[in-house]
Amino acid sequence: MTSKGPKPMAIDQAQPQPADAAPVRHGHGGWVLGMLCCVYVLNFLDRQLVSILAKPIQDSLHITDSQLGYVTGFYFALFYCFIAIPIGWLADRSNRVKILSLACALWSGATVACGLAGSYGQLAAARMAVGIGEAGGVPPSYAIISDSFPRERRGTAMGIFNLGPPIGSALGVAFGASLAAAYDWRVPFYVVGTIGVLTALVVYFFVPEPVRGRFDQGPGADAAPEPSFAQAIVGFFNNKILAVAALASGAANFITYGLANFATLFLMREKGMTLDEVAIWYALAVGLGMGTGIFVSGKLIDRYAVRSKAAYATIPAWSLLLALPFFLGFVAADRWELALPLLFVPLFLNSFFLPATVTFIQSEVAPGARVISGALLLLVMNLVGLGLGPTFVGMASDFFRPAYGEHSLRMAFYALAPMYLIAAFLFLWLARLIKRSSSADAASA
């Protein structure tokens, strides 16, 4: 799937490989995927701990909803998004596994620092450091998976890899809330950070670096020169289909992070849940809802995208439209026992876009541009979603507080609802662009 004209992200498939690059042997793909998923679990667990423990952190450090939105959203995303681009460019030209392991060690150490914070400023600085480390986590993983699995299995592989966020969120809720309830809100940061450093060592020494493009060789594959850093960025955004895919994913991520980063606080403040109840019931809802949703999405992509590439866009569009009424029901419910089952449906449907967009973009660009393409996707997706989503909800809650008091967060969630329609429209636009490009390619052929 390309737009008219030369493919902007094509590169020389015969480029030099890292000295320790090797084909992933049969049966080892599962080991590689499992370890990458484990790292992603820690990536997301570290990222979500502040949101999960928002209530005790607010009580301890005396921070407002707006400050919470900044520290879980904008401040984190500012470093996470922009540093991912040079890291992605470097990873396309070096050992992706070693970069991933070093990044994991960095963000895990910064997670420990979050637990040591004694003020809002110290917590914000530690979160920025977490963002710097996590910038080197996901883009290299996308490329490693794409070079470990053939095209017809990538949707499922990406779906399994993207179980990292729901598993990480569920474990964060379960163990984070349990440890905080039993000891102190700082303890989960110490425990999770230490586990992350140990995991980084396992990845560094035991995960193989795959050969770039081993499943993507074809006639004329080595005809295009390798792009420079600037050419790679310009080429991505000059491709209208890739740019719209990234923007649509950003709009969907705006919902995902706006909801996720305040859901625990909302359930405790307005629905009457305790930390112990959050650790059990909300953890189950997140783990089962998001986990099954992402896995089912990957399966649907593998099944329907071979018939029409537009499925990469239509499946996320319809999932968002179906989720909207259940989200509104969750916000309106007066008890957590009713709100949580309603929330389960958006948790299942909200993340359908993730395997679809990632698989689409990784399949559209040349093997040597996969890491930076993943980084550019995450730049848009997380700058819009992670950077603005929680910030918007937090600021909206403080804006509504004079008129609605303790129900201000409910009104902020209502203000979030129109983003479902905006994101669905962008994905339908993407589907139209894909169909038009497919028709043009068929006509030229």
Side-chain angles (χ1 to χ4, degrees):
M1 179 72 241
T2 57
S3 58
K4 296 180 180 179
K7 193 172 188 174
M9 301 299 293
I11 68 153
D12 186 354
Q13 300 253 7
Q15 63 182 307
Q17 301 286 341
D20 50 355
V24 178
R25 289 179 290 179
H26 180 70
H28 285 203
W31 158 254
V32 172
L33 182 59
M35 283 306 304
L36 295 182
C37 188
C38 180
V39 173
Y40 201 11
V41 167
L42 291 170
N43 179 298
F44 215 84
L45 202 165
D46 292 1
R47 187 185 311 179
Q48 292 295 100
L49 270 181
V50 174
S51 301
I52 293 165
L53 303 174
K55 185 77 166 59
I57 290 174
Q58 278 190 323
D59 294 341
S60 175
L61 301 183
H62 309 291
I63 62 179
T64 67
D65 286 355
S66 292
Q67 290 176 317
L68 182 64
Y70 278 117
V71 81
T72 60
F74 183 75
Y75 293 152
F76 177 90
L78 189 64
F79 287 87
Y80 178 83
C81 295
F82 287 103
I83 293 191
I85 300 174
I87 290 177
W89 185 82
L90 176 64
D92 274 327
R93 289 150 179 80
S94 58
N95 190 298
R96 296 163 293 185
V97 171
K98 290 183 178 178
I99 286 179
L100 173 64
S101 64
L102 293 174
C104 181
L106 175 58
W107 83 62
S108 298
T111 297
V112 174
C114 289
L116 296 171
S119 66
Y120 176 70
Q122 292 174 0
L123 179 63
R127 290 292 293 172
M128 292 176 189
V130 173
I132 293 171
E134 291 194 7
V138 180
S141 297
Y142 286 160
I144 293 168
I145 292 170
S146 295
D147 286 333
S148 300
F149 293 89
R151 182 182 293 262
E152 65 273 10
R153 293 173 55 199
R154 283 179 197 155
T156 299
M158 289 294 182
I160 293 173
F161 173 70
N162 282 300
L163 291 175
I167 295 174
S169 295
L171 290 177
V173 173
F175 292 105
S178 297
L179 287 172
Y183 300 101
D184 181 77
W185 67 265
R186 300 177 187 276
V187 173
F189 289 96
Y190 304 149
V191 173
V192 172
T194 302
I195 293 173
V197 172
L198 296 175
T199 302
L201 293 174
V202 174
V203 172
Y204 188 92
F205 289 109
F206 297 106
V207 173
E209 167 75 6
V211 173
R212 287 178 173 86
R214 59 185 294 248
F215 294 111
D216 300 275
Q217 302 296 335
D222 58 352
E226 182 178 339
S228 67
F229 179 65
Q231 288 172 333
I233 297 174
V234 172
F236 184 94
F237 290 109
N238 274 349
N239 187 318
K240 188 175 182 180
I241 291 178
L242 299 184
V244 173
L247 183 60
S249 296
N253 227 22
F254 190 101
I255 302 164
T256 300
Y257 280 109
L259 171 60
N261 285 23
F262 282 91
T264 303
L265 182 61
F266 184 60
L267 288 166
M268 293 180 68
R269 181 191 292 174
E270 297 204 28
K271 310 298 183 184
M273 289 191 85
T274 65
L275 263 180
D276 290 330
E277 290 168 338
V278 165
I280 298 173
W281 301 112
Y282 181 58
L284 286 173
V286 169
L288 293 176
M290 291 180 63
T292 55
I294 288 176
F295 183 76
V296 168
S297 174
K299 287 291 188 181
L300 290 174
I301 290 302
D302 278 347
R303 179 174 182 179
Y304 291 104
V306 294
R307 305 177 189 178
S308 171
K309 284 191 176 182
Y312 287 114
T314 54
I315 289 175
W318 286 111
S319 71
L320 291 166
L321 292 174
L322 288 172
L324 177 56
F326 292 93
F327 171 76
L328 293 173
F330 154 72
V331 177
D334 58 355
R335 297 177 295 109
W336 74 262
E337 293 88 349
L338 176 60
L340 204 57
L342 290 167
L343 176 62
F344 184 87
V345 179
L347 289 175
F348 176 78
L349 294 170
N350 280 359
S351 296
F352 267 43
F353 77 93
L354 190 55
T357 309
V358 170
T359 305
F360 174 67
I361 288 183
Q362 291 290 300
S363 298
E364 289 305 290
V365 301
R370 280 182 175 144
V371 182
I372 193 167
S373 297
L376 291 168
L377 170 64
L378 291 175
L379 168 68
V380 179
M381 192 166 71
N382 287 322
L383 193 60
V384 174
L386 178 57
L388 301 182
T391 304
F392 169 81
V393 173
M395 293 179 67
S397 179
D398 283 347
F399 173 79
F400 288 119
R401 184 172 295 277
Y404 293 92
E406 287 301 307
H407 297 296
S408 62
L409 195 49
R410 174 179 296 187
M411 300 307 299
F413 276 148
Y414 280 135
L416 178 65
M419 188 57 68
Y420 275 96
L421 300 177
I422 295 172
F425 168 78
L426 289 171
F427 274 111
L428 291 174
W429 181 23
L430 175 62
R432 183 179 180 184
L433 293 175
I434 293 174
K435 289 178 181 178
R436 184 183 301 168
S437 181
S438 296
S439 299
D441 289 346
S444 63

